[in-house]
Amino acid sequence: MKRIHVAAAVIYDAAGCILLARRPEDKHQGGLWEFPGGKVEEGEPVETALARELEEELGIRVEQARPLIQVSHDYPDKRVLLDVWEVTAFSGEAHGAEGQPLAWVTPRELGNYEFPAANRPIVRAAQLPRQYLITPDNLEPAALLKGLKAALTAGIRLVQLRAPNLFSPEYRDLAVDAVGLCAGKAQVMLKGPLEWLGDFPAAGWHLTAEQLRQYAPNGRPFPRERWLAASCHNAEELALAARMGVDFVTLSPVQPTATHPEAVPLGWDAARELIAGFNQPVFLLGGVGPEDAERAGRIGAQGVAGIRAFWPT
């Protein structure tokens, strides 16, 4: 069965809402909501196909767009490759030119809509920022919380509370404060034993590679309403993460790092190849900073993650 190549768009308005369209009842996956777009013709550049489809379907002209994620999915009766772009500027007023119902929704509200299975990774990508802050080691709790507050003020919206040098009771106390500080501002990802999950219902969980290997055979450890991430370093770990149903991963190290000088870096080309075989959002980690976010996007990553390069000085 031939794989159908589809260009799709996560379209933002000035208020940060995202445009959805409902599929006709008589079409494949009819009645479900989707991100607008359409089929890429043989030999047609994806960006050209996207612009054409959005003008035909919505009556808008794309003015600014960039790659977001690629998703390969096999339905029982159809194989698709979704080539998804983020559209942040357009001209014209979006309307259902083919009679399809439309809805502008906030990223948080995406969870209230029913999508085809192939669209689920796109939902997560649309809800995630381009930067993932990992907190540094060897800071007193007061200093860490002060830095975290400054990072939130600077616009950070996704935080991993990484404090490996704290004993468990200290980390738990710090996590309570961090989750409270980030409430309504950023998603906090905690690390630690899964036995703690019930104590932090507002937090997501970032698994170590060791935890991923341990728990992947049993599937996802909690409902999809909660964020789940994992640290990956190779194709095997990415496969385990896909099997577990994580929402996103970090892939590292891309470049040499001071934190792990002994680790052999993947390099940008190998990172691109690994991302191409993985359907969920990927943050590149290790020797990268905010200035690398655009390059990361060009090779298919969600964005970049880091400690020193992202921590306020």
Side-chain angles (χ1 to χ4, degrees), residues 9-21 33-36 68 85-87 90 102-110 113 115 122-128:
V10 176
I11 305 169
Y12 290 89
D13 67 7
C17 290
I18 296 170
L19 184 63
L20 302 179
W33 292 87
E34 68 176 354
F35 298 92
L68 180 61
W85 289 58
E86 186 179 72
V87 175
F90 62 88
L102 303 180
W104 286 100
V105 305
T106 66
R108 185 182 295 271
E109 291 170 336
L110 289 173
Y113 290 77
F115 294 89
I122 309 173
V123 171
R124 282 315 203 192
Q127 292 173 324
L128 287 167

Side-chain angles (χ1 to χ4, degrees), residues 179-215:
V179 170
L181 183 62
C182 292
K185 301 173 184 176
Q187 176 62 52
V188 178
M189 305 296 293
L190 300 181
K191 301 187 80 172
L194 293 189
E195 288 76 14
W196 293 357
L197 285 170
D199 297 337
F200 299 97
W205 224 258
H206 191 113
L207 303 176
T208 65
E210 291 75 19
Q211 286 177 313
L212 179 62
R213 292 175 182 276
Q214 178 182 355
Y215 294 112

Side-chain angles (χ1 to χ4, degrees), residues 63 93 100 119 163 204 251 264:
E63 295 182 348
E93 184 174 347
Q100 71 275 35
N119 280 225
L251 179 62
V264 178

Side-chain angles (χ1 to χ4, degrees), residues 134-244:
I134 301 171
T135 60
D137 300 350
N138 302 318
L139 283 181
E140 291 294 327
L144 191 147
L145 292 172
K146 180 180 179 181
L148 180 54
K149 185 176 181 179
L152 296 173
T153 301
I156 287 293
R157 295 295 175 260
L158 183 65
V159 176
Q160 179 192 130
L161 186 64
R162 177 182 180 272
N165 294 328
L166 290 180
F167 293 107
S168 293
E170 294 174 294
Y171 181 89
R172 287 168 63 93
D173 290 343
L174 182 60
V176 171
D177 292 335
V179 170
L181 183 62
C182 292
K185 301 173 184 176
Q187 176 62 52
V188 178
M189 305 296 293
L190 300 181
K191 301 187 80 172
L194 293 189
E195 288 76 14
W196 293 357
L197 285 170
D199 297 337
F200 299 97
W205 224 258
H206 191 113
L207 303 176
T208 65
E210 291 75 19
Q211 286 177 313
L212 179 62
R213 292 175 182 276
Q214 178 182 355
Y215 294 112
N218 298 320
R220 191 180 176 98
F222 50 74
R224 291 195 173 275
E225 288 72 27
R226 294 187 65 175
W227 287 91
L228 178 65
S231 296
C232 295
H233 310 87
N234 51 48
E236 179 190 4
E237 291 172 355
L238 287 172
L240 289 173
R243 179 177 178 180
M244 181 175 258

Side-chain angles (χ1 to χ4, degrees), residues 36-60:
K39 185 178 177 181
V40 180
E41 300 298 337
E42 190 74 30
E44 184 180 29
V46 176
E47 200 167 0
T48 301
L50 185 72
R52 172 179 52 77
E53 288 288 342
L54 296 187
E55 186 166 9
E56 292 175 0
E57 289 187 13
L58 304 173
I60 63 173

